[in-house]
Amino acid sequence: MPHQTAEDTRIPSGPARSTGYRRLFSLPGTRAFTAGNLIARLPMGMFGVSAVVMIAGSRGSYALAGAVTATGLAATGLAGPWIARLVDRHGQARVAVPATLVAVLGSLALLLCVRYDAPDWTLFAAYAATAATPNIGGLSRARWAHLLRDDPGALHTANSFEQAADELCFMLGPVLASFLTGTFFPEAGTLAGTVLLLAGMLLFTAQRATEPPPQARSKAPSPLRSPGMPPLLACFVATGAVFGSMEVVTIAYADAQGHRAAAGAVLALQAAGSCAAGLLYGSLKPAGLRLSRCLLAMAGLMTLPWLAAATAGSLTVLAGALLLAGMATAPTMVTAMTQVQERTPADRLNEGMSLVVTGLLTGIACGSAAGGWAADHLSPALAYAVPAAAAGTAVLINSAAAATRSSRRTADRHARHTGDRASTAPRDAPRNAS
C-alpha cells in the first residue's frame, strides 16, 4: 500500500464539500493528530500551577516559586523561535520528539530537586530546561495551514478551533493540576503533566501523513522582516499584557473579597467565554471582520470587569463581566494569527508562530508585573484599569500601523504619478519647441 502524504490529504476544491468542523475532521489523520496535540497541550496549563504548589509547599516561599516559573517563561520566549526554526528545516517529528524529551527531563529534574531539597539554583536550571518544549499549538496550526492552504475559509475554521482548544486546555489544566497536587502529593501535577506531554507528542508526531514537508535552509527573510509583522507582534505583546494583568488582578480582587480560592473558577469563566466565542467564530466565518474591529471590541469589553469591580463590588457580578470580556479574545487571536500565517514565508511558518508565543509571553510577564503593582499600590478594583489600558494600547498600535501603511501607499502613488509625468516630458518637448 503506497504511503499517504500530506499532499494526498489536502481538501479538494469544488462545491460538493462538507462544511464547518465536520469538514476539517473528515480528512484522514486529522482526528489522530488533533487528539495527540490536545493531550500534549493540556499540560501547558498544568506546569505553572504545579511548579508553584510544589516549590512553595516545600520551600515555603511563593517568591522563589514565582521567580522559578518566570525564569521558565523567559527561557521559553528565547528558545521558542530557535526550536521552531529547526522544526521548519528538519521536520516536526525529527525535532519535536527530542526537544520534548529534554523538556520532560527538565520537569523530572525539577521534581527531584524539590523532593530531595537541592540548592535553590538547581530549581532555576531544571525549570529552564523545560523551555525546550515545542510550540505545540503552533505545530498543529502549521499542519492545518499546509493541508488547507488552498481553502482560506476552512483554514479560518481550523484556526478558530485551535484557539478554542488553547482556551480549553488553559481552563482545565490548572483545575487538574490543583486536584492532583491537593488530592495525592505535591509532585503529582508535574509528574502527570510530563506523562501527558510525552504521550501526546508521540501520538501527534506519529501521524506522518499530515506532517508538513521539511524545508531546506530557507532563503526567505526572517518573519520579523515580513511587511506588517513587527506591529502585529507588538499587538500580541499588548494582548499578552491583557492576559497577564487580568489573572493577577483577579486573584488580588478575590483575595480582597475573602474568596481567594474562587479566583481560579472566576478566571475559568473568562476562558470559557473565549472558548465558546472561538468555536462560534469558526463556524460563522463573519465576512469583513478585520483585526481593527476585533481589537476595538476587546478594548470595549475589557472595561466591563473594571466597571463591575468598581461599582458592584461583587465577585459574582465580576464573574459575569469576565465571561463577557473573554468572548472578545478568541476572535482577536484567530484574526491576528491568520494574518501571521499570511505574512510569514511558508518555509518559516513554525518560526513565525513561535514569535507570536514569544510576544504573548513577554506581554504576560509585563502585564503580571503591572497588575501586581497596581493591586498593591492602588486597589484591586482600580487595578482592572491595567488590562483595559493594555487592550487600548493594542488598538493604538494597530491604528498607528494602519496609518503608516496608508501614508506609504499615498507616497508611492504620488511617486509613480510624478515618475510617469517625468517619463512623458521628453516626448512632448519637440512638439512644444516647434
Side-chain angles (χ1 to χ4, degrees):
M1 181 178 178
H3 178 68
Q4 188 180 43
T5 66
E7 188 72 22
D8 300 325
T9 58
R10 286 169 53 193
I11 286 185
S13 59
R17 294 179 294 182
S18 56
T19 58
Y21 296 104
R22 181 185 302 177
R23 172 184 183 181
L24 297 179
F25 297 109
S26 64
L27 287 174
T30 55
R31 295 182 183 182
F33 89 67
T34 299
N37 190 271
L38 289 177
I39 293 171
R41 207 184 309 191
L42 180 60
M44 297 302 101
M46 298 174 59
F47 283 132
V49 174
S50 299
V52 169
V53 172
M54 185 170 61
I55 296 171
S58 173
R59 305 297 171 95
S61 173
Y62 279 100
L64 175 62
V68 170
T69 55
T71 299
L73 287 176
T76 300
L78 293 174
W82 178 71
I83 294 173
R85 192 177 305 145
L86 292 177
V87 170
D88 286 328
R89 187 177 302 171
H90 302 290
Q92 292 186 352
R94 289 186 62 187
V95 175
V97 172
T100 300
L101 288 173
V102 172
V104 165
L105 291 175
S107 293
L108 294 177
L110 175 67
L111 187 154
L112 293 174
C113 288
V114 172
R115 184 75 173 180
Y116 294 102
D117 201 26
D120 289 350
W121 68 266
T122 61
L123 308 184
F124 291 91
Y127 203 68
T130 63
T133 306
N135 177 12
I136 303 169
L139 296 178
S140 185
R141 287 180 173 92
R143 293 200 179 205
W144 289 121
H146 177 69
L147 296 173
L148 309 175
R149 60 186 179 273
D150 298 327
D151 194 333
L155 182 57
H156 167 84
T157 302
N159 283 333
S160 299
F161 170 80
E162 290 296 326
Q163 185 60 39
D166 279 340
E167 300 293 349
L168 182 64
C169 291
F170 280 100
M171 180 173 60
L172 297 179
V175 176
L176 179 58
S178 299
F179 170 77
L180 291 172
T181 55
T183 304
F184 299 101
F185 47 92
E187 297 86 359
T190 298
L191 187 60
T194 56
V195 172
L196 289 172
L197 174 61
L198 183 57
M201 186 58 72
L202 291 175
L203 176 59
F204 174 79
T205 54
Q207 314 309 312
R208 303 300 291 270
T210 54
E211 180 180 352
Q215 306 289 334
R217 183 180 293 272
S218 176
K219 297 181 180 179
S222 167
L224 282 172
R225 297 173 61 186
S226 298
M229 277 292 283
L232 190 56
L233 292 175
C235 284
F236 277 109
V237 173
T239 303
V242 173
F243 299 153
S245 59
M246 187 68 78
E247 180 176 354
V248 172
V249 172
T250 299
I251 293 173
Y253 184 83
D255 192 19
Q257 295 287 318
H259 301 288
R260 184 173 184 178
V266 173
L267 287 169
L269 284 176
Q270 182 189 2
S274 183
C275 180
L279 292 174
L280 184 64
Y281 186 59
S283 60
L284 293 180
K285 306 183 191 64
L289 188 57
R290 295 178 295 181
L291 179 60
S292 58
R293 296 179 181 177
C294 292
L295 290 172
L296 282 172
M298 183 174 70
L301 289 177
M302 284 301 159
T303 63
L304 295 181
W306 185 10
L307 293 174
T311 59
S314 167
L315 201 60
T316 303
V317 176
L318 176 65
L322 286 173
L323 178 67
L324 293 175
M327 292 181 178
T329 57
T332 301
M333 291 290 293
V334 170
T335 305
M337 187 65 75
T338 300
Q339 290 195 12
V340 170
Q341 292 173 338
E342 291 171 350
R343 297 176 183 183
T344 302
D347 55 356
R348 304 190 76 159
L349 186 57
N350 282 287
E351 183 181 352
M353 288 188 288
S354 183
L355 289 171
V356 170
V357 175
T358 297
L360 286 172
L361 291 177
T362 302
I364 289 172
C366 295
S368 297
W373 182 91
D376 284 342
H377 293 82
L378 303 176
S379 70
L382 188 56
Y384 276 106
V386 176
T393 302
V395 173
L396 293 177
I397 292 171
N398 185 69
S399 299
T404 302
R405 289 193 299 269
S406 178
S407 63
R408 286 178 178 174
R409 286 195 295 267
T410 301
D412 290 342
R413 285 196 298 267
H414 178 71
R416 287 195 298 269
H417 180 65
T418 304
D420 292 341
R421 292 182 61 184
S423 64
T424 58
R427 292 196 298 268
D428 295 339
R431 290 198 299 269
N432 295 336
S434 63

